[in-house]
Amino acid sequence: MADGGHGRRHKEAEEEEEAAGAGCAPGGSARYFCTAGRGMEVFLLREVRARLDATEVDCASGKVFFTTSAELTRLKKLKSAERLFLLLNRSPPLSISRNKGKVINDINRLVSEDPSCWLDTVAVWQRLHGQEMKPDDMCQKSPASRKRKMEDEGDIKPKNQKGEPIQSVPAESQIEKTQTYDTSEALKENVLSEDTPFLEKTHELIQENSTEESSCFTFRVSCRSSGALAKIFTAQDLGRIIGIALMKSFGWKADLRNPDIEIFVHLNDLYTVIGIPVFRLPLASRVYIKTAGLRSTVAWAMASLAEIKTGAFVLDPTCGLGTLLLEAATEWPNVHYLGVDISDSQLQGAYSNIKAASLMNKIQLLKASATALPLTSESIDIALADIPFGKKFKITKDTELIPDILQELERVLCAGGTAVLLLSQELYKRLSNNVASNPDSSVRITVEPANDCTKSAIMSVKSNPEEESYSPCTAPSSAQEGEQEQIVRKRTTLGSLMLVESVKVSLGKTDAFICKYKKLTASLTKR
Ligand SMILES: C[S@@+](CC[C@H](N)C(=O)[O-])C[C@H]1O[C@@H](n2cnc3c(N)ncnc32)[C@H](O)[C@@H]1O
């Protein structure tokens, strides 16, 4: 059954929902999904629960689904997501047959099977954006003021160091391409005029509609596809089929340039997901970051893992443009932040970023080497670092620099302090191979309630990535009660720094590991 704001709910809830208007959950809540960079789902699961009081939270690769009644300003605060959508349809993958016409009919049914879900979800979108409209009104000309303009959302696109706009990380497979499709163009070209009765009929229908051009609710379809379906249809073809079905079902009009709403369709071998973007710009685009270094979603995830408390002293010993510090200071403001870097130009970039974000009173900068920090021992509560590695930073002999950085971090961190490090895969592997691991000892750590994504992230914690036999075991008690899960893990230490969690995340072209270390108390420290 499709989960389009309706599916997987209890009967009682469905009845309440009907009373309140289908498509919206009781109490004005709605069903959403976010896209997330690979590996980021675990952070997003935690975040939607904590920030939006989300319920019915679950995830599929690169997507997190949830129900919330949070209003637009709260939704916009999500930091670990790429994009946010109102869910229109979530169903199993389309069954692929040799008969193209049959597949087209199946795609068509994604729209025609439950028209009220589509209209109700559009109504929820309009309500969120302060545009109360009844489903029946949706085929009237939408005033220009209803068009969402970039500036209406108050967002500016962050740029990278070369001044190019930062693209959001495709949440799922990198080979999938998103195609935006203009139905009216498709009809002009008659691209899909294969000998299927469905397409002939819809052609006539669109011609009828085109005579009423000035009075229609407008849309565009962005489609991404992969797997078996992508071998038969291009993403553009699929977008056209859905676009035509929307015209047929609702009389909406396609508008590629400035539509009232966008319909996002993702079809692959694992699932069918359709949604309406809540915001035109990705959530991952930060208004407060002028020039981004590290991906902002990953930077926020690292800071969230550190559990920063009010009044804490937080250090980034290789701060670069200061993305980590900006993400942390924006979310946890009553904290002392210090950024250290060896490069004048990076410090200059960090300074202008911090100034643009009006965080000069929160973040201080210092020129020094991370291998010889001008700080007293045990003076820092939390260290956040994107450890430089590779040709970009002229650090090819990591063995020379990394142990010195780690030793310094260990020195300046107070006992019980936390270090969250972003390590390249290469570095992670090397450090894991070098750690002093005590097979007899274990540590008990409390994590989120079990679900597939949380589990897969936790399963990535290994003392040695090549040690395939190692896997954490689950303590039976609280996990069964569905509250919290106790994970027993092997204690993995780097000097006095004990690895407590690691998550593999995508940085776009490459993957990296977010690793959380706790500094052990002096009595436990073995050197
Ligand atoms: C990957 S970038 C950091 C990105 C940054 N964390 C951010 O949030 O945007 C690595 C930084 O390490 C700096 N770096 C390299 N060697 C260093 C050293 N010995 N001490 C301090 N900083 C160093 C580089 O100048 C560069 O700015």
Side-chain angles (χ1 to χ4, degrees):
M1 184 184 168
D3 179 0
H6 300 283
R8 301 176 65 252
R9 297 224 183 102
H10 301 299
K11 196 165 180 298
E12 204 183 2
E14 277 175 358
E15 281 165 7
E16 257 187 88
E17 184 178 303
E18 269 168 36
C24 333
S29 61
R31 190 94 179 119
Y32 294 88
F33 70 94
C34 282
T35 50
R38 224 177 323 115
M40 289 292 293
E41 301 93 335
V42 62
F43 296 101
L44 192 47
L45 281 164
R46 290 172 191 172
E47 195 188 3
V48 296
R49 284 194 185 106
R51 205 189 283 278
L52 305 178
D53 300 317
T55 55
E56 299 178 279
V57 183
D58 72 305
C59 80
S61 163
K63 290 185 176 63
V64 170
F65 300 83
F66 57 93
T67 300
T68 181
S69 58
E71 73 287 3
L72 219 52
T73 44
R74 263 170 87 200
L75 293 167
K76 200 164 196 175
K77 287 188 177 141
L78 283 176
K79 295 292 180 69
S80 52
E82 289 292 327
R83 298 196 74 182
L84 172 68
F85 301 83
L86 269 164
L87 182 66
L88 275 163
N89 184 300
R90 180 186 182 189
S91 43
L94 291 166
S95 65
I96 307 303
S97 79
R98 281 169 180 265
N99 181 341
K100 267 190 168 186
K102 188 180 170 303
V103 183
I104 291 173
N105 281 339
D106 286 348
I107 298 168
N108 187 31
R109 262 203 295 277
L110 292 172
V111 175
S112 62
E113 205 164 56
D114 192 359
S116 64
C117 172
W118 282 76
L119 294 175
D120 291 334
T121 308
V122 171
V124 171
W125 183 90
Q126 289 177 315
R127 205 179 55 227
L128 276 172
H129 289 271
Q131 302 161 3
E132 291 287 352
M133 238 180 140
K134 289 183 197 134
D136 291 352
D137 299 334
M138 270 169 219
C139 200
Q140 291 174 1
K141 178 65 189 164
S142 24
S145 60
R146 285 208 286 113
K147 306 271 185 193
R148 283 177 301 156
K149 298 269 187 287
M150 223 173 263
E151 56 272 28
D152 290 346
E153 291 178 6
D155 285 338
I156 48 166
K157 273 207 157 131
K159 302 199 170 47
N160 65 17
Q161 291 189 55
K162 290 181 198 158
E164 300 156 342
I166 305 262
Q167 300 295 322
S168 44
V169 175
E172 303 85 16
S173 164
Q174 304 290 323
I175 55 164
E176 287 173 355
K177 290 207 173 105
T178 304
Q179 293 277 352
T180 303
Y181 149 71
D182 181 352
T183 315
S184 54
E185 282 305 309
L187 286 159
K188 269 186 228 148
E189 293 165 22
N190 208 7
V191 179
L192 272 179
S193 63
E194 292 179 34
D195 49 357
T196 63
F198 163 71
L199 287 168
E200 279 166 22
K201 269 196 232 140
T202 49
H203 192 133
E204 284 164 25
L205 178 97
I206 304 315
Q207 282 179 336
E208 278 166 29
N209 278 343
S210 63
T211 61
E212 299 169 30
E213 268 186 18
S214 61
S215 63
C216 270
F217 184 78
T218 61
F219 73 97
R220 76 169 169 224
V221 179
S222 298
C223 189
R224 187 190 295 171
S225 69
S226 64
L229 193 65
K231 292 191 181 123
I232 309 176
F233 295 108
T234 64
Q236 216 175 14
D237 287 343
L238 294 166
R240 286 186 188 111
I241 297 167
I242 289 163
I244 289 166
L246 287 170
M247 290 173 158
K248 187 183 169 192
S249 297
F250 308 120
W252 297 347
K253 187 180 176 307
D255 180 353
L256 188 64
R257 283 184 196 85
N258 198 14
D260 291 318
I261 55 160
E262 189 177 352
I263 305 292
F264 169 93
V265 182
H266 194 178
L267 306 165
N268 61 26
D269 291 342
L270 299 174
Y271 51 69
T272 298
V273 171
I274 307 180
I276 306 174
V278 176
F279 304 108
R280 180 166 287 201
L281 286 181
L283 287 168
S285 306
R286 306 288 204 243
V287 274
Y288 49 84
I289 298 185
K290 196 173 140 201
T291 312
L294 177 62
R295 283 204 70 73
S296 53
T297 48
V298 172
W300 182 87
M302 288 174 67
S304 74
L305 210 54
E307 297 174 79
I308 301 169
K309 301 274 184 316
T310 300
F313 282 84
V314 178
L315 165 75
D316 181 347
T318 57
C319 72
L321 296 177
T323 321
L324 264 167
L325 294 168
L326 288 165
E327 282 295 321
T330 307
E331 182 86 44
W332 297 275
N334 299 319
V335 171
H336 311 278
Y337 292 97
L338 174 63
V340 170
D341 204 286
I342 205 164
S343 152
D344 283 323
S345 64
Q346 292 289 301
L347 284 168
Q348 188 54 49
Y351 177 79
S352 76
N353 266 343
I354 293 164
K355 197 171 169 204
S358 306
L359 288 168
M360 301 279 284
N361 58 341
K362 307 264 179 226
I363 306 172
Q364 296 195 321
L365 295 171
L366 188 67
K367 185 178 177 185
S369 173
T371 59
L373 294 164
L375 300 171
T376 51
S377 298
E378 311 221 339
S379 56
I380 296 295
D381 299 299
I382 287 166
L384 301 172
D386 170 7
I387 301 287
F389 181 76
K391 284 189 189 133
K392 190 174 162 197
F393 297 106
K394 300 186 180 72
I395 298 164
T396 42
K397 290 183 186 165
D398 57 309
T399 43
E400 283 171 21
L401 185 63
I402 302 310
D404 292 344
I405 293 181
L406 291 175
Q407 206 175 346
E408 263 305 78
L409 281 185
E410 200 187 346
R411 181 183 68 78
V412 297
L413 263 185
C414 62
T418 302
V420 180
L421 310 180
L422 187 69
L423 303 175
S424 67
Q425 293 186 82
E426 172 75 10
L427 201 50
Y428 179 75
K429 206 166 153 183
R430 280 170 189 244
L431 289 181
S432 304
N433 283 338
N434 290 340
V435 293
S437 174
N438 177 356
D440 297 328
S441 63
S442 64
V443 62
R444 189 156 285 214
I445 297 148
T446 305
V447 295
E448 298 282 325
N451 64 49
D452 286 352
C453 290
T454 313
K455 270 193 179 141
S456 66
I458 290 164
M459 293 296 275
S460 71
V461 176
K462 290 176 185 172
S463 61
N464 177 349
E466 282 163 357
E467 200 181 308
E468 294 302 337
S469 60
Y470 169 67
S471 64
C473 52
T474 309
S477 58
S478 55
Q480 282 164 355
E481 287 153 24
E483 283 300 313
Q484 286 187 317
E485 190 181 4
Q486 299 278 313
I487 302 292
V488 179
R489 293 181 197 150
K490 199 179 282 188
R491 176 176 292 156
T492 308
T493 57
L494 256 178
S496 64
L497 297 178
M498 182 183 69
L499 179 67
V500 291
E501 189 166 353
S502 77
V503 182
K504 189 177 183 182
V505 294
S506 168
L507 298 180
K509 285 182 187 158
T510 164
D511 289 344
F513 283 88
I514 296 177
C515 298
K516 176 176 175 175
Y517 295 90
K518 275 267 175 203
K519 181 170 167 173
L520 303 175
T521 51
S523 57
L524 281 172
T525 306
K526 278 188 201 169
R527 305 211 66 174

